[in-house]
Amino acid sequence: DELHCANKIIDDRWKKVRKQQTKLASLDPQLRDAKNELSRAECRLRSEENRCSTYFFGDKIRNRSYWEAQTDKDAAQSKVAGLKNEIKTQEQKPAIYEASLPIEENKALQWIFFLFMPNEFQDLCAIAHLTQSSLTERSGPMPTRMSLHQWFSGRKKSNAIPSKTP
């Protein structure tokens, strides 16, 4: 049945959205920790570069602790890049569900009518809504024929298609 299938598709989409949200919520602290780790690795690399570098005939010669710090920095950079990439992937919205018209002709024609309702029916619906909301308001005044006429005239002017004459 169509309604059951459509509801299942919508529910599956929302489950996917919620799953992405929880995944993103867990990735944010991981990214923050990875950035802190990267900044510590960069500080260590700078200190090792200043402390352990020697010059041999104008060339810098670095010891083992410098190269370990460099490796740690590279690993931290790749971890941050990987987490950013994963966050970017998780931020992609799932496909939007586009419902087709019902299979039954009568139901399909009802949908088409309400999607492409003539302006006169839209105005009639607006008037009916105004009167119904005025009647249900306990503190507001009852609508009069003149107030409905003024409202409808103003609505017609605001919805009118502007003329192209100069």
Side-chain angles (χ1 to χ4, degrees):
D1 121 90
E2 293 176 44
L3 184 61
H4 177 71
C5 291
N7 286 336
K8 185 179 181 325
I9 291 170
I10 291 169
D11 290 342
D12 290 346
R13 183 179 187 276
W14 280 112
K15 284 178 187 175
K16 187 174 181 181
V17 167
R18 285 187 203 105
K19 184 178 176 184
Q20 286 177 322
Q21 288 173 340
T22 56
K23 180 72 173 172
L24 283 170
S26 70
L27 287 175
D28 284 338
Q30 289 179 23
L31 180 63
R32 186 178 55 247
D33 293 343
K35 284 182 177 180
N36 290 338
E37 185 181 323
L38 176 62
S39 65
R40 284 192 301 272
E42 287 172 341
C43 287
R44 181 175 169 230
L45 180 64
R46 279 193 298 274
S47 69
E48 289 295 329
E49 186 173 6
N50 292 334
R51 187 174 67 86
C52 300
S53 297
T54 57
Y55 289 92
F56 184 72
F57 294 108
D59 293 330
K60 245 185 187 179
I61 306 232
R62 297 185 171 106
N63 61 8
R64 181 181 182 142
S65 59
Y66 170 83
W67 293 111
E68 288 173 355
Q70 179 69 40
T71 304
D72 292 345
K73 179 188 161 254
D74 292 343
Q77 275 181 330
S78 66
K79 184 175 181 180
V80 167
L83 285 170
K84 283 183 179 180
N85 214 10
E86 191 172 351
I87 287 173
K88 191 175 185 178
T89 302
Q90 287 295 323
E91 286 177 340
Q92 297 293 324
K93 291 187 264 181
I96 295 175
Y97 172 64
E98 296 177 3
S100 60
L101 289 173
I103 294 173
E104 294 179 32
E105 184 179 358
N106 289 338
K107 288 184 180 182
L109 289 174
Q110 288 174 8
W111 273 94
I112 291 172
F113 173 78
F114 284 106
L115 287 173
F116 302 105
M117 186 185 300
N119 289 336
E120 293 81 9
F121 285 110
Q122 290 178 9
D123 294 338
L124 186 61
C125 288
I127 290 172
H129 176 70
L130 175 70
T131 55
Q132 184 179 12
S133 61
S134 296
L135 287 172
T136 56
E137 290 179 6
R138 295 173 192 240
S139 61
M142 294 290 284
T144 61
R145 184 175 186 174
M146 190 60 185
S147 64
L148 282 175
H149 179 68
Q150 288 172 343
W151 174 84
F152 187 71
S153 299
R155 178 174 165 78
K156 277 300 201 188
K157 288 177 187 173
S158 66
N159 287 346
I161 299 174
S163 62
K164 295 187 179 183
T165 57

